[in-house]
Every structure is written in C-alpha cells, then in structure tokens.
Amino acid sequence: MKNVVLIGFMGTGKSSVGRTLAVRLGAAFIDIDEAIETKCGMTVSEIFQKYGEDYFRKCEKEVTFEVASRKNTVIATGGGTVRDEENRKALSESGFIIALTASVEVIAERTAKEGTRPLLEGLSIEEREEKIAKLLDERRGIYENADYTIDTGELSPLQVVEDICRFLRMRRG
Ligand code: S3P
C-alpha cells in the first residue's frame, strides 16, 4: 500500500486521525513529532527551548526522509513539516497527501493546552488567534497542495477516518 500522509496546521487532528486510520487500514503509524522526540530523547518544546527552531527543523527533515522511505504506513506530519520543499517532494512520492483543515477559532481551542506547541506558547487567547491566523496565511498555499482535503472542524476523528477511507477506495478502485 502507498503511504497515507496527513498534513495540516497544528490542531487539525493529524495525530488522532492518523492513529485510528492506521488501525482501520491495518497499516503502521508514525507521528513525525513523536519520532523526533524519540530520536532526540526530548520533547518538541524542549528541543525548541534548548536548541532553537532551526535545529528542530533539521531533525524533522532527517525523520521525514526516514519515514518517507517506508511502505504501508500512515504518517502524521508536524504542522510545519511540509514548509520544506524537499520534505514535500519526499512525502508526495511516498503516498497520498491528505490535508486536514479547521478554522482559526477551532484551532485556537484545540491548541489551548500549554507546554506542547512552542510556536503558540505564552500567548493570550487573542494573541494566539492572531498568531494562528498569520501562520495560516503564510502556509495556506502549501496545505492546499494535496490529493484530498477535509475540514475537520465539525467532524469527530472517526468521521474523518471514514471520509479518508472513502477517498482511498475511490482512488484505488
Ligand atoms: C509545528 C507544529 C507541531 C510541531 C512543532 C512545530 C509547526 O506539530 O511539529 O511544534 O510549525 O506548525 P503539530 O502540528 O503536530 O502540533
């Protein structure tokens, strides 16, 4: 099976959908953020804090290339993984790209928990919404470039999984 690669902004449901989708498809599951944490022996927030974003992106690229060489795997990317053109190319060649989207308000609510999203850390709710809107504007073009797109705002992870399975059945015939 070609891989199924979930892309999209923080809080669009890539990890929870990916985990359930992999079980449904009988495929392996890899979450790029988790794989980076395992490789570095630190959380994503700790990596940002101790070594900065550039170092995180370097680790992210190494992990992305490793996972893109696998088969029969559902891959949940980090929100910024596909900003890098080489990451985008490696992932598109490895499987279907499914983009998950949600509104600024939904994302702000889903990412409210502190300590896990260094790019949205220490901000008031208004500031967080502003930052999300700004980052979304910058990244919109790259998330639009997908084989299939689902707005997850009103859907449960299970409903998103069903939708992806319908798309895969259609594409595989
Ligand atoms: C990031 C998203 C995060 C994580 C890191 C940077 C981003 O992943 O990779 O904090 O640049 O959007 P999630 O989308 O899984 O939260």
Side-chain angles (χ1 to χ4, degrees):
M1 182 192 95
K2 276 170 87 168
N3 293 335
V4 179
V5 182
L6 302 178
I7 68 166
F9 202 77
M10 294 174 262
T12 52
K14 302 177 298 290
S15 303
S16 46
V17 167
R19 204 164 278 118
T20 310
L21 179 65
V23 173
R24 176 67 63 87
L25 297 174
F29 173 66
I30 294 189
D31 181 301
I32 289 186
D33 282 339
E34 276 177 19
I36 296 169
E37 290 182 339
T38 305
K39 191 181 170 87
C40 297
M42 268 181 277
T43 66
V44 169
S45 291
E46 284 167 347
I47 301 170
F48 266 73
Q49 237 169 49
K50 286 198 178 148
Y51 301 109
E53 181 169 352
D54 287 354
Y55 179 78
F56 172 79
R57 298 297 175 196
K58 199 172 138 275
C59 301
E60 184 178 49
K61 191 162 192 162
E62 281 170 22
V63 168
T64 300
F65 273 70
E66 280 161 30
V67 303
S69 69
R70 287 169 162 255
K71 300 225 160 16
N72 204 33
T73 301
V74 174
I75 301 168
T77 60
T81 309
V82 288
R83 283 172 55 218
D84 182 283
E85 198 184 333
E86 289 172 347
N87 288 352
R88 276 205 301 279
K89 186 164 179 285
L91 291 167
S92 319
E93 284 171 2
S94 93
F96 293 110
I97 303 287
I98 314 283
L100 304 185
T101 66
S103 66
V104 171
E105 293 74 24
V106 167
I107 290 171
E109 202 185 301
R110 290 187 185 160
T111 56
K113 193 168 152 243
E114 292 288 306
T116 54
R117 286 348 197 277
L119 292 178
L120 304 176
E121 210 67 358
L123 304 174
S124 68
I125 178 78
E126 292 81 16
E127 288 169 336
R128 204 166 61 242
E129 286 194 3
E130 258 173 49
K131 178 91 184 267
I132 291 166
K134 181 174 167 286
L135 287 173
L136 266 178
D137 262 1
E138 286 169 16
R139 296 177 179 185
R140 189 151 285 126
I142 57 163
Y143 296 140
E144 273 170 359
N145 216 341
D147 296 302
Y148 190 56
T149 300
I150 306 171
D151 184 339
T152 68
E154 308 265 303
L155 302 177
S156 69
L158 212 57
Q159 287 173 311
V160 179
V161 167
E162 293 302 339
D163 200 351
I164 296 173
C165 287
R166 266 194 299 275
F167 163 79
L168 293 173
R169 277 197 298 273
M170 208 171 67
R171 285 297 287 262
R172 288 183 182 138

Short mmCIF file of all heavy atoms in Angstrom, two decimals, residues 105-162:
data_model
loop_
_atom_site.label_atom_id
_atom_site.label_comp_id
_atom_site.label_asym_id
_atom_site.label_seq_id
_atom_site.Cartn_x
_atom_site.Cartn_y
_atom_site.Cartn_z
N GLU A 105 -10.61 29.67 14.95
CA GLU A 105 -11.25 29.51 16.28
C GLU A 105 -11.12 28.07 16.77
O GLU A 105 -10.78 27.82 17.93
CB GLU A 105 -12.73 29.90 16.23
CG GLU A 105 -13.00 31.37 15.97
CD GLU A 105 -12.74 31.80 14.52
OE1 GLU A 105 -12.79 30.93 13.61
OE2 GLU A 105 -12.46 33.00 14.29
N VAL A 106 -11.40 27.12 15.88
CA VAL A 106 -11.30 25.70 16.25
C VAL A 106 -9.86 25.36 16.62
O VAL A 106 -9.58 24.71 17.63
CB VAL A 106 -11.82 24.78 15.10
CG1 VAL A 106 -11.44 23.33 15.34
CG2 VAL A 106 -13.32 24.93 14.95
N ILE A 107 -8.92 25.84 15.82
CA ILE A 107 -7.50 25.55 16.08
C ILE A 107 -7.08 26.16 17.43
O ILE A 107 -6.40 25.50 18.23
CB ILE A 107 -6.61 26.08 14.93
CG1 ILE A 107 -6.84 25.25 13.67
CG2 ILE A 107 -5.13 26.05 15.31
CD1 ILE A 107 -6.20 25.80 12.41
N ALA A 108 -7.53 27.40 17.69
CA ALA A 108 -7.16 28.07 18.94
C ALA A 108 -7.67 27.26 20.14
O ALA A 108 -6.96 27.09 21.14
CB ALA A 108 -7.72 29.48 18.97
N GLU A 109 -8.87 26.75 20.02
CA GLU A 109 -9.45 25.97 21.11
C GLU A 109 -8.70 24.64 21.30
O GLU A 109 -8.36 24.27 22.41
CB GLU A 109 -10.91 25.71 20.76
CG GLU A 109 -11.79 25.39 21.95
CD GLU A 109 -13.19 25.04 21.48
OE1 GLU A 109 -13.82 25.89 20.82
OE2 GLU A 109 -13.61 23.90 21.76
N ARG A 110 -8.42 23.98 20.18
CA ARG A 110 -7.77 22.66 20.27
C ARG A 110 -6.31 22.75 20.71
O ARG A 110 -5.74 21.76 21.15
CB ARG A 110 -7.85 21.95 18.91
CG ARG A 110 -9.25 21.50 18.53
CD ARG A 110 -9.14 20.68 17.26
NE ARG A 110 -10.42 20.27 16.72
CZ ARG A 110 -10.60 19.90 15.46
NH1 ARG A 110 -9.59 19.89 14.61
NH2 ARG A 110 -11.79 19.52 15.04
N THR A 111 -5.69 23.91 20.53
CA THR A 111 -4.26 24.03 20.88
C THR A 111 -4.05 24.80 22.18
O THR A 111 -2.94 25.25 22.46
CB THR A 111 -3.46 24.73 19.74
OG1 THR A 111 -4.07 26.00 19.49
CG2 THR A 111 -3.43 23.92 18.47
N ALA A 112 -5.14 24.93 22.95
CA ALA A 112 -5.06 25.77 24.16
C ALA A 112 -4.15 25.21 25.24
O ALA A 112 -3.62 25.96 26.06
CB ALA A 112 -6.46 26.00 24.71
N LYS A 113 -3.94 23.88 25.23
CA LYS A 113 -3.12 23.28 26.28
C LYS A 113 -1.67 23.77 26.16
O LYS A 113 -1.05 23.65 25.11
CB LYS A 113 -3.18 21.75 26.14
CG LYS A 113 -2.63 21.03 27.33
CD LYS A 113 -2.98 19.54 27.26
CE LYS A 113 -1.92 18.76 27.97
NZ LYS A 113 -1.20 17.85 27.10
N GLU A 114 -1.17 24.34 27.25
CA GLU A 114 0.20 24.88 27.23
C GLU A 114 1.24 23.74 27.29
O GLU A 114 0.93 22.65 27.75
CB GLU A 114 0.42 25.80 28.43
CG GLU A 114 -0.38 27.08 28.39
CD GLU A 114 0.14 28.08 27.35
OE1 GLU A 114 1.34 28.40 27.39
OE2 GLU A 114 -0.65 28.52 26.50
N GLY A 115 2.43 24.04 26.85
CA GLY A 115 3.54 23.10 27.05
C GLY A 115 3.78 22.13 25.90
O GLY A 115 4.72 21.35 25.94
N THR A 116 2.93 22.16 24.87
CA THR A 116 3.13 21.19 23.79
C THR A 116 3.35 21.85 22.43
O THR A 116 3.82 21.20 21.50
CB THR A 116 1.92 20.24 23.67
OG1 THR A 116 0.74 21.04 23.53
CG2 THR A 116 1.77 19.36 24.90
N ARG A 117 2.98 23.14 22.30
CA ARG A 117 3.10 23.82 21.00
C ARG A 117 3.98 25.05 21.15
O ARG A 117 3.50 26.16 21.39
CB ARG A 117 1.74 24.27 20.48
CG ARG A 117 0.65 23.36 19.90
CD ARG A 117 0.92 22.03 19.58
NE ARG A 117 0.05 21.29 18.72
CZ ARG A 117 -1.08 20.67 19.10
NH1 ARG A 117 -1.62 20.84 20.26
NH2 ARG A 117 -1.69 19.87 18.26
N PRO A 118 5.30 24.90 21.03
CA PRO A 118 6.21 26.02 21.30
C PRO A 118 5.91 27.28 20.48
O PRO A 118 6.14 28.39 20.95
CB PRO A 118 7.60 25.46 20.97
CG PRO A 118 7.37 24.17 20.26
CD PRO A 118 6.03 23.68 20.66
N LEU A 119 5.37 27.12 19.27
CA LEU A 119 5.11 28.30 18.44
C LEU A 119 3.92 29.12 18.96
O LEU A 119 3.75 30.28 18.59
CB LEU A 119 4.85 27.90 16.98
CG LEU A 119 6.05 27.33 16.22
CD1 LEU A 119 5.63 26.93 14.81
CD2 LEU A 119 7.18 28.35 16.14
N LEU A 120 3.10 28.51 19.83
CA LEU A 120 1.91 29.22 20.33
C LEU A 120 1.96 29.43 21.84
O LEU A 120 0.95 29.70 22.48
CB LEU A 120 0.64 28.41 19.97
CG LEU A 120 0.43 28.08 18.49
CD1 LEU A 120 -0.79 27.20 18.30
CD2 LEU A 120 0.27 29.36 17.68
N GLU A 121 3.16 29.28 22.38
CA GLU A 121 3.34 29.31 23.84
C GLU A 121 3.24 30.72 24.44
O GLU A 121 3.65 31.70 23.83
CB GLU A 121 4.74 28.76 24.13
CG GLU A 121 4.89 28.07 25.43
CD GLU A 121 4.10 26.77 25.53
OE1 GLU A 121 3.39 26.36 24.62
OE2 GLU A 121 4.21 26.18 26.59
N GLY A 122 2.68 30.79 25.66
CA GLY A 122 2.70 32.03 26.44
C GLY A 122 1.89 33.17 25.85
O GLY A 122 2.19 34.33 26.10
N LEU A 123 0.87 32.86 25.04
CA LEU A 123 0.08 33.93 24.42
C LEU A 123 -1.34 33.93 25.01
O LEU A 123 -1.85 32.87 25.40
CB LEU A 123 -0.04 33.69 22.90
CG LEU A 123 1.26 33.57 22.11
CD1 LEU A 123 0.97 33.19 20.66
CD2 LEU A 123 2.04 34.88 22.16
N SER A 124 -1.94 35.12 25.06
CA SER A 124 -3.34 35.21 25.48
C SER A 124 -4.19 34.60 24.36
O SER A 124 -3.68 34.39 23.25
CB SER A 124 -3.75 36.66 25.69
OG SER A 124 -3.77 37.32 24.44
N ILE A 125 -5.46 34.35 24.61
CA ILE A 125 -6.31 33.75 23.59
C ILE A 125 -6.36 34.61 22.32
O ILE A 125 -6.27 34.10 21.20
CB ILE A 125 -7.73 33.41 24.14
CG1 ILE A 125 -8.65 32.81 23.06
CG2 ILE A 125 -8.41 34.60 24.77
CD1 ILE A 125 -8.39 31.37 22.77
N GLU A 126 -6.42 35.96 22.52
CA GLU A 126 -6.48 36.86 21.35
C GLU A 126 -5.17 36.78 20.57
O GLU A 126 -5.15 36.71 19.35
CB GLU A 126 -6.71 38.33 21.76
CG GLU A 126 -8.06 38.64 22.35
CD GLU A 126 -8.17 38.26 23.83
OE1 GLU A 126 -7.10 38.06 24.45
OE2 GLU A 126 -9.30 38.18 24.34
N GLU A 127 -4.05 36.84 21.33
CA GLU A 127 -2.74 36.78 20.66
C GLU A 127 -2.55 35.45 19.93
O GLU A 127 -1.97 35.40 18.86
CB GLU A 127 -1.62 36.94 21.70
CG GLU A 127 -1.50 38.33 22.27
CD GLU A 127 -0.57 38.38 23.49
OE1 GLU A 127 -0.39 37.35 24.17
OE2 GLU A 127 -0.06 39.46 23.77
N ARG A 128 -3.07 34.38 20.56
CA ARG A 128 -2.92 33.06 19.93
C ARG A 128 -3.70 33.01 18.61
O ARG A 128 -3.21 32.53 17.60
CB ARG A 128 -3.35 31.95 20.88
CG ARG A 128 -2.68 30.65 20.52
CD ARG A 128 -2.75 29.57 21.56
NE ARG A 128 -4.10 29.21 21.84
CZ ARG A 128 -4.68 29.33 23.01
NH1 ARG A 128 -4.01 29.83 24.02
NH2 ARG A 128 -5.92 28.98 23.17
N GLU A 129 -4.93 33.55 18.65
CA GLU A 129 -5.74 33.56 17.41
C GLU A 129 -5.04 34.37 16.33
O GLU A 129 -5.03 33.99 15.16
CB GLU A 129 -7.14 34.11 17.69
CG GLU A 129 -7.98 33.09 18.44
CD GLU A 129 -9.47 33.43 18.46
OE1 GLU A 129 -9.87 34.43 17.84
OE2 GLU A 129 -10.22 32.68 19.11
N GLU A 130 -4.45 35.51 16.72
CA GLU A 130 -3.74 36.35 15.74
C GLU A 130 -2.56 35.61 15.13
O GLU A 130 -2.33 35.63 13.92
CB GLU A 130 -3.18 37.59 16.44
CG GLU A 130 -3.99 38.84 16.20
CD GLU A 130 -3.49 39.99 17.04
OE1 GLU A 130 -2.27 40.23 17.06
OE2 GLU A 130 -4.33 40.61 17.73
N LYS A 131 -1.80 34.94 16.00
CA LYS A 131 -0.61 34.21 15.52
C LYS A 131 -1.03 33.06 14.60
O LYS A 131 -0.41 32.82 13.56
CB LYS A 131 0.16 33.68 16.75
CG LYS A 131 1.38 32.85 16.46
CD LYS A 131 2.65 33.70 16.38
CE LYS A 131 3.87 32.91 16.00
NZ LYS A 131 4.65 32.41 17.11
N ILE A 132 -2.10 32.35 14.98
CA ILE A 132 -2.59 31.24 14.16
C ILE A 132 -3.01 31.76 12.78
O ILE A 132 -2.64 31.20 11.75
CB ILE A 132 -3.77 30.52 14.85
CG1 ILE A 132 -3.28 29.78 16.09
CG2 ILE A 132 -4.47 29.56 13.90
CD1 ILE A 132 -4.39 29.33 17.04
N ALA A 133 -3.76 32.89 12.77
CA ALA A 133 -4.24 33.45 11.51
C ALA A 133 -3.04 33.85 10.62
O ALA A 133 -3.04 33.60 9.41
CB ALA A 133 -5.12 34.67 11.77
N LYS A 134 -2.01 34.40 11.24
CA LYS A 134 -0.83 34.84 10.49
C LYS A 134 -0.10 33.63 9.89
O LYS A 134 0.22 33.61 8.70
CB LYS A 134 0.09 35.63 11.43
CG LYS A 134 1.34 36.17 10.79
CD LYS A 134 2.11 37.06 11.78
CE LYS A 134 3.50 37.37 11.28
NZ LYS A 134 4.43 36.22 11.40
N LEU A 135 0.14 32.61 10.73
CA LEU A 135 0.84 31.42 10.25
C LEU A 135 0.01 30.70 9.17
O LEU A 135 0.56 30.22 8.17
CB LEU A 135 1.12 30.45 11.40
CG LEU A 135 2.22 30.85 12.39
CD1 LEU A 135 2.28 29.88 13.56
CD2 LEU A 135 3.58 30.89 11.70
N LEU A 136 -1.32 30.66 9.37
CA LEU A 136 -2.18 30.01 8.39
C LEU A 136 -2.10 30.72 7.04
O LEU A 136 -2.04 30.08 5.99
CB LEU A 136 -3.63 30.03 8.87
CG LEU A 136 -4.13 28.80 9.62
CD1 LEU A 136 -5.56 29.02 10.07
CD2 LEU A 136 -4.04 27.54 8.79
N ASP A 137 -2.08 32.05 7.09
CA ASP A 137 -1.96 32.83 5.86
C ASP A 137 -0.67 32.50 5.13
O ASP A 137 -0.65 32.31 3.93
CB ASP A 137 -1.94 34.33 6.20
CG ASP A 137 -3.30 34.94 6.01
OD1 ASP A 137 -4.23 34.20 5.64
OD2 ASP A 137 -3.44 36.16 6.25
N GLU A 138 0.43 32.45 5.91
CA GLU A 138 1.73 32.15 5.31
C GLU A 138 1.76 30.75 4.69
O GLU A 138 2.44 30.51 3.72
CB GLU A 138 2.82 32.18 6.38
CG GLU A 138 3.19 33.58 6.84
CD GLU A 138 4.07 33.54 8.09
OE1 GLU A 138 4.63 32.47 8.43
OE2 GLU A 138 4.17 34.57 8.74
N ARG A 139 1.03 29.81 5.31
CA ARG A 139 1.16 28.40 4.92
C ARG A 139 0.04 27.89 4.04
O ARG A 139 0.10 26.76 3.57
CB ARG A 139 1.21 27.52 6.18
CG ARG A 139 2.41 27.80 7.05
CD ARG A 139 2.34 26.95 8.29
NE ARG A 139 3.49 27.15 9.16
CZ ARG A 139 3.68 26.44 10.26
NH1 ARG A 139 2.82 25.51 10.60
NH2 ARG A 139 4.74 26.68 11.02
N ARG A 140 -1.01 28.71 3.85
CA ARG A 140 -2.21 28.23 3.15
C ARG A 140 -1.85 27.51 1.84
O ARG A 140 -2.33 26.40 1.59
CB ARG A 140 -3.16 29.40 2.89
CG ARG A 140 -4.51 28.96 2.36
CD ARG A 140 -5.61 29.90 2.75
NE ARG A 140 -6.00 29.79 4.14
CZ ARG A 140 -6.04 30.79 5.01
NH1 ARG A 140 -5.67 31.99 4.64
NH2 ARG A 140 -6.43 30.60 6.24
N GLY A 141 -1.00 28.13 1.04
CA GLY A 141 -0.63 27.58 -0.26
C GLY A 141 -0.08 26.17 -0.18
O GLY A 141 -0.40 25.33 -1.02
N ILE A 142 0.70 25.89 0.84
CA ILE A 142 1.32 24.56 0.91
C ILE A 142 0.33 23.50 1.39
O ILE A 142 0.39 22.36 0.99
CB ILE A 142 2.60 24.53 1.77
CG1 ILE A 142 2.32 25.01 3.18
CG2 ILE A 142 3.72 25.30 1.15
CD1 ILE A 142 3.40 24.63 4.16
N TYR A 143 -0.62 23.90 2.25
CA TYR A 143 -1.61 22.91 2.69
C TYR A 143 -2.64 22.64 1.58
O TYR A 143 -3.29 21.61 1.57
CB TYR A 143 -2.34 23.39 3.94
CG TYR A 143 -1.48 23.55 5.18
CD1 TYR A 143 -1.66 24.62 6.03
CD2 TYR A 143 -0.49 22.62 5.48
CE1 TYR A 143 -0.89 24.78 7.18
CE2 TYR A 143 0.30 22.77 6.62
CZ TYR A 143 0.09 23.85 7.46
OH TYR A 143 0.86 24.00 8.58
N GLU A 144 -2.80 23.61 0.66
CA GLU A 144 -3.78 23.43 -0.42
C GLU A 144 -3.33 22.40 -1.43
O GLU A 144 -4.13 21.86 -2.18
CB GLU A 144 -4.02 24.78 -1.13
CG GLU A 144 -5.09 25.60 -0.45
CD GLU A 144 -5.16 27.02 -0.98
OE1 GLU A 144 -4.37 27.38 -1.89
OE2 GLU A 144 -5.99 27.77 -0.45
N ASN A 145 -2.02 22.15 -1.44
CA ASN A 145 -1.45 21.26 -2.44
C ASN A 145 -1.56 19.79 -2.00
O ASN A 145 -0.58 19.19 -1.64
CB ASN A 145 0.02 21.64 -2.60
CG ASN A 145 0.44 21.51 -4.02
OD1 ASN A 145 -0.22 20.83 -4.80
ND2 ASN A 145 1.54 22.15 -4.36
N ALA A 146 -2.78 19.26 -2.02
CA ALA A 146 -2.98 17.89 -1.50
C ALA A 146 -3.85 17.09 -2.45
O ALA A 146 -4.52 17.65 -3.32
CB ALA A 146 -3.65 17.96 -0.13
N ASP A 147 -3.83 15.75 -2.31
CA ASP A 147 -4.69 14.90 -3.14
C ASP A 147 -6.14 14.99 -2.67
O ASP A 147 -7.07 14.76 -3.44
CB ASP A 147 -4.21 13.44 -3.05
CG ASP A 147 -2.83 13.28 -3.63
OD1 ASP A 147 -2.64 13.63 -4.82
OD2 ASP A 147 -1.91 12.86 -2.89
N TYR A 148 -6.32 15.30 -1.38
CA TYR A 148 -7.67 15.35 -0.84
C TYR A 148 -7.63 16.23 0.41
O TYR A 148 -6.66 16.19 1.16
CB TYR A 148 -8.13 13.93 -0.47
CG TYR A 148 -9.58 13.81 -0.10
CD1 TYR A 148 -10.58 14.22 -0.98
CD2 TYR A 148 -9.98 13.26 1.12
CE1 TYR A 148 -11.92 14.10 -0.65
CE2 TYR A 148 -11.32 13.13 1.45
CZ TYR A 148 -12.28 13.56 0.55
OH TYR A 148 -13.61 13.44 0.87
N THR A 149 -8.69 17.02 0.61
CA THR A 149 -8.72 17.96 1.75
C THR A 149 -10.01 17.77 2.55
O THR A 149 -11.08 17.63 1.96
CB THR A 149 -8.65 19.42 1.23
OG1 THR A 149 -7.42 19.57 0.51
CG2 THR A 149 -8.67 20.42 2.37
N ILE A 150 -9.90 17.75 3.86
CA ILE A 150 -11.08 17.59 4.72
C ILE A 150 -11.06 18.68 5.80
O ILE A 150 -10.06 18.83 6.51
CB ILE A 150 -11.08 16.23 5.44
CG1 ILE A 150 -10.94 15.09 4.43
CG2 ILE A 150 -12.35 16.04 6.27
CD1 ILE A 150 -10.71 13.74 5.08
N ASP A 151 -12.17 19.38 5.94
CA ASP A 151 -12.33 20.32 7.06
C ASP A 151 -12.79 19.50 8.27
O ASP A 151 -13.89 18.92 8.25
CB ASP A 151 -13.36 21.39 6.70
CG ASP A 151 -13.49 22.45 7.78
OD1 ASP A 151 -13.12 22.17 8.95
OD2 ASP A 151 -13.96 23.55 7.48
N THR A 152 -11.95 19.44 9.30
CA THR A 152 -12.24 18.57 10.45
C THR A 152 -12.99 19.31 11.56
O THR A 152 -13.26 18.73 12.61
CB THR A 152 -10.93 18.02 11.06
OG1 THR A 152 -10.19 19.12 11.64
CG2 THR A 152 -10.06 17.35 10.02
N GLY A 153 -13.32 20.60 11.32
CA GLY A 153 -13.90 21.44 12.37
C GLY A 153 -15.13 20.86 13.03
O GLY A 153 -15.29 20.96 14.24
N GLU A 154 -16.00 20.26 12.23
CA GLU A 154 -17.28 19.76 12.76
C GLU A 154 -17.32 18.25 12.83
O GLU A 154 -18.39 17.67 13.05
CB GLU A 154 -18.42 20.21 11.83
CG GLU A 154 -18.46 21.69 11.53
CD GLU A 154 -19.39 22.43 12.45
OE1 GLU A 154 -20.56 22.07 12.51
OE2 GLU A 154 -18.90 23.35 13.15
N LEU A 155 -16.18 17.61 12.59
CA LEU A 155 -16.18 16.15 12.50
C LEU A 155 -15.41 15.52 13.65
O LEU A 155 -14.44 16.08 14.14
CB LEU A 155 -15.54 15.70 11.18
CG LEU A 155 -16.17 16.20 9.88
CD1 LEU A 155 -15.36 15.72 8.67
CD2 LEU A 155 -17.62 15.72 9.74
N SER A 156 -15.83 14.30 14.04
CA SER A 156 -15.05 13.54 15.02
C SER A 156 -13.90 12.88 14.27
O SER A 156 -13.98 12.69 13.04
CB SER A 156 -15.93 12.46 15.66
OG SER A 156 -16.23 11.48 14.70
N PRO A 157 -12.84 12.46 14.98
CA PRO A 157 -11.74 11.77 14.30
C PRO A 157 -12.24 10.56 13.50
O PRO A 157 -11.78 10.30 12.39
CB PRO A 157 -10.83 11.34 15.46
CG PRO A 157 -11.06 12.37 16.51
CD PRO A 157 -12.52 12.73 16.39
N LEU A 158 -13.23 9.85 14.05
CA LEU A 158 -13.76 8.67 13.37
C LEU A 158 -14.44 9.03 12.04
O LEU A 158 -14.29 8.32 11.04
CB LEU A 158 -14.77 7.97 14.29
CG LEU A 158 -14.84 6.45 14.14
CD1 LEU A 158 -13.49 5.81 14.36
CD2 LEU A 158 -15.86 5.90 15.15
N GLN A 159 -15.16 10.15 12.04
CA GLN A 159 -15.80 10.59 10.79
C GLN A 159 -14.76 10.99 9.75
O GLN A 159 -14.93 10.73 8.57
CB GLN A 159 -16.73 11.79 11.08
CG GLN A 159 -17.99 11.39 11.81
CD GLN A 159 -18.80 12.60 12.23
OE1 GLN A 159 -18.28 13.56 12.81
NE2 GLN A 159 -20.09 12.58 11.94
N VAL A 160 -13.67 11.59 10.21
CA VAL A 160 -12.59 11.97 9.28
C VAL A 160 -11.96 10.70 8.69
O VAL A 160 -11.70 10.61 7.49
CB VAL A 160 -11.51 12.84 9.98
CG1 VAL A 160 -10.40 13.21 9.01
CG2 VAL A 160 -12.14 14.09 10.58
N VAL A 161 -11.77 9.69 9.55
CA VAL A 161 -11.21 8.42 9.10
C VAL A 161 -12.11 7.80 8.03
O VAL A 161 -11.63 7.35 6.98
CB VAL A 161 -11.03 7.44 10.30
CG1 VAL A 161 -10.76 6.02 9.83
CG2 VAL A 161 -9.90 7.92 11.20
N GLU A 162 -13.43 7.81 8.27
CA GLU A 162 -14.38 7.25 7.28
C GLU A 162 -14.24 7.97 5.95
O GLU A 162 -14.24 7.36 4.89
CB GLU A 162 -15.83 7.41 7.77
CG GLU A 162 -16.19 6.58 8.99
CD GLU A 162 -15.97 5.09 8.79
OE1 GLU A 162 -15.94 4.64 7.62
OE2 GLU A 162 -15.80 4.38 9.79
#
